[in-house]
């Protein structure tokens, strides 16, 4: 976390507090969390181990796929269609 700098850590913390205070959970929640990317980057840079970095990369890719499938299913539910087609 020290590699990303004090200002960026404070900004991420305050942005997270702001979101927790005013955000109603909705389909845009994940989009609104994107500015917290430096925290994900810091998580990937915790260790110099290549295995750790590859596992973090794979985890983020799997989470991205889960998110996309969830959004497709959410869109299908809102239009009254079944998923998968």
């Amino acid at each position: 976390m020290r590699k990303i700098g004090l200002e960026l850590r404070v900004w991420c913390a305050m942005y997270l507090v702001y979101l927790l205070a005013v955000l109603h959970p909705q389909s845009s929640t994940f989009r609104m969390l994107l500015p917290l990317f430096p925290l994900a980057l810091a998580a990937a840079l915790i260790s110099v181990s290549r295995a750790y970095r590859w596992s973090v990369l794979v985890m983020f890719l799997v989470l991205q796929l889960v998110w996309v499938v969830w959004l497709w299913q959410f869109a299908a539910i809102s239009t009254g269609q079944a998923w998968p087609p």
Side-chain angles (χ1 to χ4, degrees):
M1 288 291 290
R2 292 183 181 157
K3 288 183 180 184
I4 65 172
L6 178 64
E7 294 86 3
L8 195 53
R9 283 185 286 168
V10 171
W11 186 88
C12 286
M14 292 299 108
Y15 183 70
L16 190 57
V17 168
Y18 165 75
L19 287 180
L20 290 173
V22 301
L23 182 67
H24 300 309
Q26 57 187 343
S27 62
S28 297
T29 301
F30 295 112
R31 180 182 55 85
M32 292 178 161
L33 291 175
L34 284 177
L36 295 175
F37 174 76
L39 297 180
L41 186 61
L45 296 175
I46 287 175
S47 175
V48 293
S49 166
R50 292 183 75 152
Y52 174 79
R53 289 186 179 183
W54 275 104
S55 63
V56 168
L57 177 68
V58 168
M59 179 193 65
F60 285 144
L61 288 174
V62 168
L63 288 174
Q64 179 70 24
L65 290 172
V66 168
W67 176 48
V68 168
V69 169
W70 180 78
L71 286 177
W72 282 344
Q73 189 169 3
F74 181 77
I77 289 172
S78 66
T79 60
Q81 299 174 353
W83 192 87

